[in-house]
Amino acid sequence: MRLSRYFLPVLKETPSEAQIVSHRYMLRAGMIKQASAGIYSWLPLGYKVLRNIERIVHEEQQRAGHIPLLMPTLQSAELWKESGRYDAYGPEMLRIRDRQDRDMLYGPTNEELITDIFRSHVSSYKDLPLTLYHIQWKFRDEIRPRFGVMRGREFLMKDGYNFDLTKEDALHAYNRHLVSYLRTYERMGLQAIPMRADSGPIGGDDTHEFLVLAETGESEVFYDSQITDLKFGDRQIDYDSVEQCQAVLEEFTSRYARTDETHDEALFNEVPEERRRTARGIEVGQIFYFGTKYSEPMGATVKGPDGASVPVHMGSHGIGVSRLLGAIIEASHDDKGIIWPEGVTPFHCGIVNLKTGDAEADAACEALYSALTALGLEPLYDDTDERAGAKFATMDLIGLPWRITVGPRGLKNGVVELTSRRTGESEELPPEEAVARIAAIYGKSA
């Protein structure tokens, strides 16, 4: 993409309403614009990152054997009355009526709707196990929306639901989700720690939240510092293997890690003092096992091997897709702007022309742009007439991981400058080598 043709409304000044880093940089980098309190338009740069995060979530869900669908944002209140949650959920639920005077709601979650889909089409244990998920916009009428996309009223969320014949099968689905989430977050450059949590209005006895450590986190967390040394890495997991998934769960949850809602001071004090940590955390996902809480009242049953009808065991599993974007910025930035991990960056690298209009510099930038594009990479080429300092400031603000700088002085020596946004380190090398280096970083063949 050529910057001269792109819509990137960057701001030099920080808007007064932005209280945390991610909100400030998302507004300044032209990623979002507030439409009303807690509701945002996603501008092109923000939308690209949002879609990259969504793509990773889809890939890892399907790697784990989960099946995507799409449910509506508006739901009938009748289903929620059937489950008993319509009056219990609270004022966060946006309740509306259609022109036929029927009670409707803007879905904050989808347990009732997915249960209705299941009971309409599945009747035998032979169709189990089954996990369905979707990525859809949700609405929760926060009493005090703040922090940009971190605590908005409208948000994009992945929510998945497993249906199993027995509790043991459902707990395997729980473990499988924990494994898939660990891989998902690491692909985004995050370390998200699974912590024992409170189930809230979803219900159930087994639940873990995934939290990213950050000073601006809303939750106070308590953990054993050894947990931050754990990495999922490139290990290969057979998601059908109960033993392998259980082993990963035990590895990542055996050390103390809890939110303030479930913190147990006595247990925490059993951790060696030098390893006890207290910090703030940003919730980016949660998994639940809640048994037959929804299937029993809503009649979601199957015929078991003995022919008797039994309610299925269920769980739900959420990832805050839009919230993740803010969490990544909170975890990866400096005083110049965002630092995107390669997995979610809106553009693979930036190209800065230090002297637009110079025939040699223009030709070199065009050649770099064409070579990178031919490899299936997407560079952002700053071909504007701005001063060099302004170009660098924009590139630092929007946070592309790599920048190739092209100027007449370097070209006389046959080199361009390749700079890492994360480290700030630069090196001079021939243009074709710069292309090869970027290609290798992203697993492309130059």
Side-chain angles (χ1 to χ4, degrees):
M1 176 59 67
R2 299 171 193 275
L3 188 55
S4 61
R5 300 179 186 176
Y6 197 53
F7 182 60
L8 187 65
V10 298
L11 305 175
K12 292 183 179 179
E13 302 297 327
T14 299
S16 58
E17 71 270 21
Q19 299 176 338
I20 62 172
V21 168
S22 59
H23 195 193
R24 290 200 298 270
Y25 282 154
M26 289 183 75
L27 290 171
R28 286 197 54 212
M31 301 179 73
I32 55 172
K33 182 182 184 303
Q34 181 170 301
S36 62
I39 301 174
Y40 293 88
S41 296
W42 290 80
L43 305 183
L45 192 75
Y47 185 64
K48 282 179 69 66
V49 180
L50 189 67
R51 285 292 172 247
N52 286 340
I53 292 172
E54 185 179 357
R55 171 183 50 79
I56 291 173
V57 172
H58 271 301
E59 289 173 356
E60 293 305 326
Q61 283 296 294
Q62 292 173 54
R63 186 204 293 256
H66 307 155
I67 303 170
L69 47 66
L70 185 62
M71 290 176 277
T73 56
L74 293 180
Q75 302 180 31
S76 167
E78 291 305 313
L79 288 173
W80 285 67
K81 292 175 182 177
E82 192 177 345
S83 73
R85 279 208 303 174
Y86 185 68
D87 295 319
Y89 202 88
E92 291 81 12
M93 182 191 292
L94 181 62
R95 295 164 169 84
I96 56 180
R97 290 192 174 185
D98 66 11
R99 66 193 301 167
Q100 304 298 329
D101 208 31
R102 291 173 295 213
D103 289 326
M104 306 286 288
L105 58 98
Y106 193 130
T109 183
N110 284 71
E111 281 81 5
E112 285 79 4
L113 199 56
I114 196 71
T115 304
D116 183 54
I117 291 171
F118 177 87
R119 70 184 179 184
S120 298
H121 299 287
V122 179
S123 59
S124 171
Y125 78 97
K126 294 180 181 179
D127 296 319
L128 304 179
L130 177 66
T131 296
L132 303 171
Y133 81 94
H134 74 157
I135 297 177
Q136 177 62 289
W137 291 97
K138 302 284 190 292
F139 187 90
R140 294 177 187 169
D141 200 2
E142 297 282 350
I143 190 170
R144 186 167 160 250
R146 60 197 187 278
F147 303 156
V149 302
M150 299 291 290
R151 182 58 73 180
R153 294 194 294 163
E154 184 183 60
F155 53 95
L156 189 63
M157 178 178 171
K158 171 260 160 179
D159 46 318
Y161 306 89
N162 65 281
F163 301 87
D164 291 278
L165 182 62
T166 67
K167 179 178 181 178
E168 290 71 24
D169 292 341
L171 288 176
H172 172 55
Y174 185 96
N175 298 347
R176 188 175 68 240
H177 275 85
L178 184 138
V179 174
S180 70
Y181 278 23
L182 290 171
R183 189 195 298 271
T184 297
Y185 295 127
E186 281 199 14
R187 284 188 60 187
M188 298 176 190
L190 290 173
Q191 183 178 39
I193 302 172
M195 298 191 178
R196 177 65 64 178
D198 181 72
S199 62
I202 302 295
D205 297 326
D206 290 278
T207 180
H208 280 84
E209 284 181 352
F210 290 79
L211 289 104
V212 174
L213 300 180
E215 293 180 1
T216 51
E218 289 188 287
S219 300
E220 186 176 16
V221 297
F222 305 81
Y223 63 97
D224 181 336
S225 63
Q226 283 190 342
I227 202 167
T228 59
D229 297 328
L230 298 176
K231 298 290 184 292
F232 189 83
D234 59 357
R235 66 180 82 184
Q236 299 302 309
I237 298 293
D238 177 1
Y239 283 104
D240 290 329
S241 170
V242 173
E243 293 77 14
Q244 288 187 31
C245 291
Q246 179 68 29
V248 174
L249 178 133
E250 290 176 356
E251 179 184 355
F252 281 83
T253 64
S254 60
R255 295 164 181 82
Y256 191 93
R258 296 196 178 199
T259 64
D260 50 1
E261 296 170 323
T262 61
H263 176 54
D264 186 319
E265 192 68 24
L267 286 177
F268 189 51
N269 287 336
E270 293 179 7
V271 177
E273 185 175 1
E274 68 275 12
R275 294 187 350 225
R276 290 180 217 150
R277 299 289 185 275
T278 303
R280 309 296 297 181
I282 299 169
E283 181 200 341
V284 292
Q286 190 165 3
I287 58 177
F288 303 85
Y289 162 70
F290 42 69
T292 59
K293 174 181 172 65
Y294 299 94
S295 57
E296 280 198 88
M298 297 186 67
T301 63
V302 296
K303 287 188 177 180
D306 60 359
S309 291
V310 293
V312 293
H313 287 255
M314 293 177 58
S316 68
H317 319 89
I319 287 180
V321 176
S322 52
R323 171 180 273 244
L324 267 168
L325 199 150
I328 291 169
I329 296 173
E330 293 292 333
S332 184
H333 68 272
D334 59 17
D335 58 2
K336 296 179 181 178
I338 302 163
I339 305 174
W340 291 118
E342 279 86 352
V344 299
T345 180
F347 295 95
H348 295 103
C349 71
I351 301 173
V352 172
N353 188 339
L354 292 180
K355 196 170 184 181
T356 303
D358 177 86
E360 189 176 3
D362 289 350
C365 287
E366 290 291 342
L368 285 166
Y369 185 82
S370 296
L372 290 165
T373 302
L375 291 170
L377 298 170
E378 193 173 7
L380 179 64
Y381 171 24
D382 190 341
D383 57 344
T384 66
D385 293 324
E386 289 280 355
R387 296 175 294 105
K391 291 186 175 187
F392 289 145
T394 296
M395 286 291 174
D396 285 341
L397 174 63
I398 66 175
L400 306 186
W402 298 92
R403 185 185 75 226
I404 302 175
T405 304
V406 180
R409 183 180 302 174
L411 290 174
K412 286 181 180 178
N413 298 319
V415 296
V416 296
E417 184 179 70
L418 179 64
T419 302
S420 164
R421 175 70 180 88
R422 185 166 298 280
T423 67
E425 295 176 355
S426 297
E427 62 178 311
E428 294 184 336
L429 64 173
E432 60 274 13
E433 290 188 22
V435 170
R437 185 75 59 82
I438 296 294
I441 289 167
Y442 292 102
K444 305 287 186 179
S445 298

